[in-house]
C-alpha cells in the first residue's frame, strides 16, 4: 500500500512567509475550488460548496424566521432600465459584462449581466405595491452576481462571478427601514462571530465608501492574518433614492400616496475566504465545527489481520456520531496509509479526528485528535458522543478566542499621521484615529497610504480630539486599513 509523495499534496509554503501563495494552495489542495478557463472565474468543488451550503442554510433559516421570503431574478438587465438610476449604476459601470449578440445576430439594446439587482427588482416591485396592505415587502434572492474583476483576482475574495444572497425590502416608513437594516446586520454578526468564529467590527461606512444610492451603509469588517481588512457583510438604508425614480408608491391609511422606504443587504462566498485566512495554518484549513461539512473524521488504523475488526468498529463509531447529530465520516480507504489520511484531513480542516485501532478496541477506548491544537486525548468508548460534543464546542470557542486575540493585536491608535503611515507600511491592521469628516482628508490618506476608512464604529467612545490628517477638530472615530 503506497501513498503519493507528501510534497505533492501538502501545503509547501508557510502562512507567515508567503500569505498569498499559502492561501492559493489551501484553496486548491484542500479541494475547495479550482480555476475556470476564463480569467477571474472559479469552479466551486463539492467540499467548498458544502461550506457554502452550511452558511446558506443558517442564513436562510434566520431570514425566514424574520419574515423574509425567497424569490428568483433573471441575470440579464436591459440598459434602459439601468439608466433610471444613473448615479447608482455608474458605480458599477467599469465592472459590467454586456451581452450584445444572440448567436450571430445583434440584439439591439445591450443587456447587462447582473452586477447587483436593485434596478431590476425595483422595476418589478413598483408593479406589486399599491397599498399600505402590500407592505412590508421582504424578499431575498440566492443567486450569483457578475463583476469584471480582471486585475487583482483571488478565489472567493475577488472573482468575476460570485455566489451571494441579496435581500431587498420595502417599507412604509423610514423607521421601519432603519430597524430592518440593523436586524439584518445582527443576523450577519451572529453568523460571522458565532458560526464562522471571526470577530468583526460593526459600524457605518463613510459617504465615499457607502453603497452607491444609499442614505447610509452599515458594515461588519474583519481582519485577516496578513493585516488586511475584509468587508464581511453590508446592510444599506436606501431611503427613497430608488422608490422615487422607480415609482414605488403606496396609498396609506390616510388615503394619500406616499413613496416607500427601502433597504438592501448581502453577504457572499468571500466569507469562505475569510474563514481560510483567519483560521488556517501551515497544515491547511481549519474549519469551525459549526459550519464544517465533516465535523469528525474516523480513521481506522490496522494491519491486514485486524482489518475487519477495526473497520467494523470504525463504522459503528461513525454511525453513533451521525445518529447523535454530529456530522461524521469514516475514511476506510485501503489505498492510502493512515499517516497519509491524517495529513489529508488536516489539510481539509476537519475539526476533530477519531483514531481507532486494535489496541483501542482492546481497551474499549478511542483517541481524539483536535485540529486546532493537534492535541491527542484518550477516552472511554462509552463516552464517545459526550466527549466529541465537548471537544467540538471547545474548538469552536478556541478558534474565536484566537481570532479575537489576532484582531486585538492588529489594533493600533496612532496619534500622528506619521504613525498612521508607519502602521500601514508595517504590520497593517486597523489604525483607530480621529477624522474631521472632510472627504479631502479621506482621499489624501487613501492616496498616500493605501488605507481606506473601513468603518466608523457604532461605539464612538474614546474619539481623539483632532483629525489624524489635518489636525482640525475630529468629528468621527474611524478605523483606517488596507483591504481586499
Amino acid at each position: 500500500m503506497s501513498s503519493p509523495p507528501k510534497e505533492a499534496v501538502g501545503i509547501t509554503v508557510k502562512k507567515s512567509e508567503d500569505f498569498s501563495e499559502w492561501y492559493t494552495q489551501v484553496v486548491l489542495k484542500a479541494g475547495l475550488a479550482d480555476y475556470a478557463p476564463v480569467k477571474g472565474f472559479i469552479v466551486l468543488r463539492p467540499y467548498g460548496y458544502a461550506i457554502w451550503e452550511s452558511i446558506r442554510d443558517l442564513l436562510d433559516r434566520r431570514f425566514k424566521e424574520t419574515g423574509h421570503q425567497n424569490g428568483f431574478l433573471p441575470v440579464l438587465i436591459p440598459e434602459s432600465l439601468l439608466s433610471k438610476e444613473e448615479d447608482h449604476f455608474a458605480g458599477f459601470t467599469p465592472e459590467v459584462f454586456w451581452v450584445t449578440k444572440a448567436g450571430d445576430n445583434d440584439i439591439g439594446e445591450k443587456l447587462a449581466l447582473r452586477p447587483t439587482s436593485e434596478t431590476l427588482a425595483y422595476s418589478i416591485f413598483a408593479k406589486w405595491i399599491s397599498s399600505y396592505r402590500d407592505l412590508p415587502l421582504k424578499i431575498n434572492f440566492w443567486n450569483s452576481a457578475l463583476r469584471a474583476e480582471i486585475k487583482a483576482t483571488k478565489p472567493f475574495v475577488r472573482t468575476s462571478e460570485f455566489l451571494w444572497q441579496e435581500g431587498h425590502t420595502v417599507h412604509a416608513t423610514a423607521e421601519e427601514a432603519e430597524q430592518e437594516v440593523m436586524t439584518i446586520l445582527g443576523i450577519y454578526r451572529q453568523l460571522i462571530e458565532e458560526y464562522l468564529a471571526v470577530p468583526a467590527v460593526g459600524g457605518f461606512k463613510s459617504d465615499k465608501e457607502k453603497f452607491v444610492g444609499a442614505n447610509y451603509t452599515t458594515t461588519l469588517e474583519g481582519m485577516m492574518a496578513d493585516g488586511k481588512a475584509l468587508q464581511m457583510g453590508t446592510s444599506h438604508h436606501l431611503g427613497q433614492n430608488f422608490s422615487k425614480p422607480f415609482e414605488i408608491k403606496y396609498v396609506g391609511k390616510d388615503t394619500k400616496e406616499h413613496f416607500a422606504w427601502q433597504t438592501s443587504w448581502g453577504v457572499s462566498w468571500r466569507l469562505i475566504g475569510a474563514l481560510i485566512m483567519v483560521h488556517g495554518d501551515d497544515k491547511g484549513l481549519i474549519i469551525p465545527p459549526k459550519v464544517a461539512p465533516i465535523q469528525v473524521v474516523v480513521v481506522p488504523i490496522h494491519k491486514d489481520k485486524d482489518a475487519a475488526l477495526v473497520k467494523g468498529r470504525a463504522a459503528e463509531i461513525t454511525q453513533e456520531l451521525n445518529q447523535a447529530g454530529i456530522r461524521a465520516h469514516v475514511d476506510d480507504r485501503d489505498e492510502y496509509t493512515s499517516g497519509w489520511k491524517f495529513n489529508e484531513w488536516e489539510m481539509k480542516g476537519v475539526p476533530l479526528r477519531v483514531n481507532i485501532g486494535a489496541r483501542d478496541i482492546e481497551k474499549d477506548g478511542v483517541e481524539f485528535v483536535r485540529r486546532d491544537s493537534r492535541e491527542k486525548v484518550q477516552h472511554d468508548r462509552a463516552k464517545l458522543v459526550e466527549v466529541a460534543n465537548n471537544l467540538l464546542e471547545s474548538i469552536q470557542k478556541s478558534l474565536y478566542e484566537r481570532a479575537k486575540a489576532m484582531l486585538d493585536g492588529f489594533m493600533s491608535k496612532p496619534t500622528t499621521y506619521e504613525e498612521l503611515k508607519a502602521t500601514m507600511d508595517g504590520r497593517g491592521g486597523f489604525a483607530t484615529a480621529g477624522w474631521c469628516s472632510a472627504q479631502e482628508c479621506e482621499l489624501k490618506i487613501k492616496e498616500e497610504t493605501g488605507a481606506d476608512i473601513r468603518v466608523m464604529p457604532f461605539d464612538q467612545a474614546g474619539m481623539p480630539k483632532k483629525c489624524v490628517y489635518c489636525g482640525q477638530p475630529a468629528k468621527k472615530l474611524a478605523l483606517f486599513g488596507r483591504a481586499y
Side-chain angles (χ1 to χ4, degrees):
M1 181 166 57
S2 62
S3 299
K6 185 177 175 183
E7 292 75 21
V9 293
I11 308 302
T12 61
V13 295
K14 292 186 180 296
K15 184 179 183 180
S16 60
E17 293 177 2
D18 190 340
F19 189 82
S20 181
E21 173 63 18
W22 168 85
Y23 177 86
T24 300
Q25 286 196 22
V26 171
V27 169
L28 298 177
K29 294 185 177 185
L32 299 179
D34 205 347
Y35 290 111
V38 180
K39 181 175 173 56
F41 290 76
I42 61 172
V43 176
L44 195 55
R45 298 181 66 177
Y47 194 54
Y49 195 81
I51 299 173
W52 177 244
E53 285 180 309
S54 292
I55 292 169
R56 186 194 65 194
D57 292 348
L58 287 162
L59 283 177
D60 199 62
R61 185 176 72 247
R62 290 292 288 121
F63 292 157
K64 287 172 180 172
E65 288 170 356
T66 48
H68 301 83
Q69 295 177 300
N70 288 332
F72 171 80
L73 286 169
V75 73
L76 295 175
I77 307 173
E79 186 179 23
S80 58
L81 196 58
L82 298 170
S83 65
K84 276 197 171 187
E85 221 300 312
E86 292 181 11
D87 290 343
H88 165 71
F89 191 66
F92 291 102
T93 299
E95 302 174 340
V96 174
F97 291 101
W98 292 101
V99 176
T100 59
K101 285 182 178 290
D104 292 330
N105 302 315
D106 293 335
I107 60 173
E109 182 179 13
K110 289 196 302 182
L111 302 174
L113 288 171
R114 170 183 57 223
T116 185
S117 298
E118 276 75 10
T119 55
L120 179 59
Y122 302 163
S123 68
I124 305 298
F125 287 0
K127 296 194 294 183
W128 295 349
I129 295 167
S130 59
S131 165
Y132 71 90
R133 297 181 183 89
D134 301 320
L135 300 175
L137 178 66
K138 304 202 290 188
I139 300 185
N140 176 65
F141 303 98
W142 290 102
N143 57 26
S144 67
L146 292 101
R147 300 176 188 173
E149 297 284 358
I150 303 300
K151 295 181 181 178
T153 62
K154 197 176 194 68
F156 294 114
V157 175
R158 199 166 286 282
T159 51
S160 291
E161 183 177 19
F162 51 90
L163 288 176
W164 74 339
Q165 58 74 211
E166 49 176 315
H168 299 275
T169 67
V170 188
H171 305 267
T173 67
E175 292 73 23
E176 285 181 21
E178 288 174 2
Q179 185 177 1
E180 172 76 5
V181 167
M182 297 312 297
T183 295
I184 294 301
L185 203 73
I187 291 172
Y188 288 163
R189 184 184 285 277
Q190 181 185 35
L191 166 72
I192 291 164
E193 296 196 334
E194 294 183 22
Y195 289 85
L196 302 183
V198 177
V201 181
F204 295 99
K205 288 289 191 182
S206 68
D207 284 345
K208 171 181 168 290
E209 294 295 319
K210 73 180 181 182
F211 183 67
V212 181
N215 278 3
Y216 62 80
T217 290
T218 63
T219 183
L220 292 167
E221 300 285 322
M223 179 53 59
M224 304 300 101
D226 62 346
K228 287 185 180 178
L230 186 72
Q231 180 178 287
M232 309 280 284
T234 50
S235 184
H236 319 288
H237 192 302
L238 303 180
Q240 296 175 318
N241 299 328
F242 289 87
S243 65
K244 289 181 177 178
F246 287 93
E247 298 191 326
I248 304 175
K249 297 181 286 187
Y250 70 95
V251 176
K253 293 180 182 179
D254 58 3
T255 71
K256 295 179 181 178
E257 200 170 57
H258 305 271
F259 285 107
W261 301 81
Q262 294 177 259
T263 79
S264 69
W265 27 274
V267 297
S268 77
W269 68 11
R270 68 165 37 190
L271 292 177
I272 299 175
L275 181 156
I276 298 165
M277 290 191 279
V278 170
H279 299 307
D281 64 11
D282 291 345
K283 288 281 186 179
L285 271 175
I286 303 179
I287 307 179
K290 287 186 178 181
V291 294
I294 300 171
Q295 295 173 311
V296 181
V297 61
V298 180
V299 180
I301 305 168
H302 57 80
K303 295 179 180 177
D304 290 343
K305 65 183 179 68
D306 302 317
L309 173 68
V310 175
K311 281 187 175 183
R313 179 59 61 90
E316 288 174 17
I317 287 171
T318 305
Q319 183 179 23
E320 185 176 340
L321 290 169
N322 280 316
Q323 287 176 342
I326 296 170
R327 296 185 291 277
H329 169 75
V330 62
D331 187 350
D332 56 3
R333 295 173 294 176
D334 289 329
E335 58 268 33
Y336 298 110
T337 65
S338 54
W340 192 90
K341 293 176 187 178
F342 295 165
N343 286 322
E344 182 183 39
W345 292 112
E346 284 183 350
M347 185 166 60
K348 285 181 170 292
V350 173
L352 193 61
R353 189 174 80 237
V354 168
N355 296 335
I356 185 76
R359 290 182 182 177
D360 298 302
I361 294 172
E362 285 176 20
K363 298 176 183 176
D364 202 23
V366 289
E367 181 180 68
F368 294 89
V369 185
R370 294 174 60 136
R371 175 61 182 88
D372 60 335
S373 64
R374 304 178 76 190
E375 176 188 1
K376 295 181 179 180
V377 186
Q378 298 281 347
H379 273 284
D380 294 340
R381 165 77 175 79
K383 293 185 176 180
L384 173 74
V385 171
E386 177 189 350
V387 173
N389 275 320
N390 289 340
L391 286 172
L392 290 170
E393 185 178 334
S394 176
I395 292 167
Q396 183 79 29
K397 183 180 177 183
S398 172
L399 288 175
Y400 180 82
E401 289 175 348
R402 201 155 72 182
K404 182 67 167 66
M406 183 187 76
L407 172 63
D408 291 344
F410 275 119
M411 287 287 192
S412 63
K413 294 183 179 180
T415 56
T416 67
Y417 184 54
E418 291 304 316
E419 288 180 7
L420 187 148
K421 285 197 291 186
T423 297
M424 292 302 118
D425 290 337
R427 292 187 69 228
F430 285 130
T432 304
W435 176 48
C436 64
S437 79
Q439 197 169 101
E440 183 181 354
C441 289
E442 183 181 10
L443 290 168
K444 285 288 187 183
I445 291 172
K446 170 67 173 178
E447 180 186 325
E448 296 171 12
T449 70
D452 294 303
I453 293 177
R454 300 309 310 161
V455 58
M456 295 177 288
F458 291 128
D459 183 0
Q460 289 279 301
M463 181 177 69
K465 293 181 179 180
K466 295 181 179 181
C467 173
V468 72
Y469 187 81
C470 70
Q472 294 297 309
K475 295 181 180 178
K476 293 289 182 183
L477 178 69
L479 268 60
F480 293 86
R482 292 175 181 167
Y484 283 101

